[in-house]
Amino acid sequence: MTTADGCVRVLVVDDDALVRAGLSMMLSGLPDVRVVGEVSDGADVLGAVEEHRPDVVLMDIRMPRVDGLAATATLRSRPEAPEVIVMTTFDTDDHILKAMRAGASGFLLKHTPPRDIVEAIRRVASGEPMLSPDVLRRMMTYVAAAGVDPRRARARAALALLSEGERGVAALVGKGYTNAEIGKELSISVATVKAYVSRLLTKLDLNNRVQIALLVHDASDS
């Protein structure tokens, strides 16, 4: 989702004025990305989104009134919500998992190289999650270690409602495959993969494909 001029609209949310200024300065030189607003607390996110209509929100976690995880969950529960990339100095497995369950499409550390931040914004805006294989492995290991039996039962019940084709696509989403990789693996077009993913989101009442991956791993024995 982008504007008519092809630019990805970005809202920066961070309680550190220097971080906000740094991100805005970095992104301002790009021809296809536009920072449309900045806010300093999660409590101000909904108002800023309504005012600026961003495609992507760069969201800090720790903020004084409403933290980024709560703000992400609230925002992503609303119709036509923008995508969210959580950015933080804290990379604990618990933070990563909570961000994904809240509906974030990506998780980046603030010391991530600028080129990778830009790539994440572009990918998330185009509908692809920004979740590196390393982060995915860490997250799933944490899920398994934490014990998710109640979630496993709910996840398996949800997946049982899917068709065989839908379960096949969901399984590959769970492995972190892109649409192109899924299409190659299943010998179907990318357009067909996108249609499957859209149906999965609707049937499972989920926000994005990262949450599909979490559901698949919740349902697994490993």
Side-chain angles (χ1 to χ4, degrees):
M1 181 170 61
T2 57
T3 59
D5 60 4
C7 285
V8 178
R9 298 168 60 85
V10 177
L11 174 70
V12 178
V13 184
D14 199 295
D15 63 338
D16 188 327
L18 290 177
V19 172
R20 295 198 307 273
L23 286 169
S24 295
M25 183 178 300
M26 178 191 74
L27 297 174
S28 66
L30 299 171
D32 60 338
V33 178
R34 180 187 305 162
V35 176
V36 295
E38 302 176 16
V39 295
S40 61
D41 194 88
D44 303 319
V45 169
L46 288 182
V49 166
E50 291 179 1
E51 178 181 357
H52 300 295
R53 301 296 179 184
D55 303 306
V56 177
V57 177
L58 295 181
M59 183 85 74
D60 187 23
I61 287 184
R62 292 197 174 180
M63 291 179 284
R65 290 183 292 163
V66 176
D67 68 42
L69 298 177
T72 297
T74 300
L75 178 60
R76 292 293 299 164
S77 69
R78 299 169 72 88
E80 299 182 3
E83 304 296 337
V84 176
I85 299 174
V86 169
M87 297 190 67
T88 181
T89 55
F90 308 98
D91 66 342
T92 66
D93 296 327
D94 187 49
H95 279 132
I96 296 171
L97 182 59
K98 286 180 178 178
M100 299 303 105
R101 291 202 185 283
S105 293
F107 185 99
L108 297 174
L109 297 180
K110 289 182 180 177
H111 62 250
T112 298
R115 66 179 181 277
D116 293 339
I117 295 175
V118 173
E119 176 65 16
I121 291 170
R122 289 169 175 158
R123 282 185 56 179
V124 165
S126 68
E128 293 281 353
M130 186 59 186
L131 197 60
S132 71
D134 286 344
V135 170
L136 187 61
R137 281 194 295 270
R138 282 182 56 185
M139 183 171 59
M140 298 317 165
T141 299
Y142 177 78
V143 170
V148 290
D149 286 346
R151 284 199 180 104
R152 180 175 298 153
R154 290 194 296 269
R156 288 179 174 178
L159 293 177
L161 300 176
L162 303 178
S163 69
E164 182 178 352
E166 289 165 345
R167 283 195 296 273
V169 171
L172 295 178
V173 170
K175 293 181 178 180
Y177 282 30
T178 65
N179 287 343
E181 290 168 339
I182 293 172
K184 183 177 180 180
E185 180 75 15
L186 300 180
S187 299
I188 57 179
S189 69
V190 171
T192 301
V193 175
K194 289 181 178 179
Y196 267 115
V197 172
S198 294
R199 288 206 300 273
L200 287 170
L201 294 174
T202 299
K203 281 191 173 184
L204 299 172
D205 192 25
L206 299 175
N207 288 317
N208 56 43
R209 60 194 293 140
V210 173
Q211 291 185 332
I212 296 174
L214 285 171
L215 187 74
V216 169
H217 284 270
D218 279 352
S220 70
D221 292 317
S222 58

